Amino acid sequence: MADAFTTRLVNVTTGGTETVHDLTAACAHFLREVARGRDGLLNVFVPHATAGVAVIETRSGSDDDLLAVLHDLLPADDRWRHRHGSPGHGRDHVLPALVAPHATLPVVGGSLELGTWQSVVLVDTNKDNPDRQVRLSFFGG
């Protein structure tokens, strides 16, 4: 089966602020094109040292709560040994240890199988790099 694995890069502009960017629609669009009703797995990966992928509820304050927790755990101050970029940028390089740079999700009948309130998001606290790439990869039979 030649199309059992398909991958694509999606460009995302996060701007100059910390953000939780919803990727769910981009994932759904990709799957409509490539899964064509099949079951499989979607892998979402950010090839950046300062960003992560999470599955959370959005637009209810949870995305802001996530950023607040990250501020508490990883303050943007001068404690970090990694010191180039904006003040506190070293914490951005620790972020992927807490918010992994990938997620693998089930695809059933060609659609992402998320819970009622779940969304796939890019978590980006790095204000110095507003342009991101996200690799979407579908493996299905």
Side-chain angles (χ1 to χ4, degrees):
M1 184 180 269
D3 60 350
F5 179 79
T6 307
T7 189
R8 177 175 304 154
L9 280 174
V10 175
N11 293 312
V12 176
T13 300
T14 58
T17 60
E18 298 175 0
T19 189
V20 174
H21 179 86
D22 196 334
L23 298 169
T24 310
C27 293
H29 177 77
F30 172 70
L31 290 171
R32 277 192 300 277
E33 289 183 9
V34 303
R36 296 184 305 279
R38 296 178 291 158
D39 294 348
L41 296 171
L42 174 68
N43 181 264
V44 183
F45 174 73
V46 289
H48 298 282
T50 59
V53 175
V55 178
I56 64 168
E57 181 179 4
T58 59
R59 296 179 300 279
S60 66
S62 297
D63 34 359
D64 291 332
D65 289 342
L66 175 57
L67 290 175
V69 165
L70 291 173
H71 274 279
D72 290 346
L73 293 173
L74 305 171
D77 57 23
D78 64 356
R79 74 182 68 200
W80 307 99
R81 290 181 185 98
H82 187 111
R83 292 184 184 261
H84 74 85
S86 297
H89 175 65
R91 71 164 188 143
D92 299 326
H93 287 274
V94 176
L95 173 76
L98 300 177
V99 180
H102 60 86
T104 301
L105 306 162
V107 176
V108 177
S111 297
L112 196 54
E113 189 72 8
L114 292 173
T116 302
W117 304 112
Q118 289 180 318
S119 296
V120 182
V121 299
L122 168 68
V123 181
D124 186 4
T125 59
N126 182 356
K127 297 182 272 188
D128 296 336
N129 187 359
D131 299 311
R132 298 300 192 158
Q133 291 184 323
V134 178
R135 179 169 295 282
L136 304 178
S137 300
F138 174 71
F139 181 75

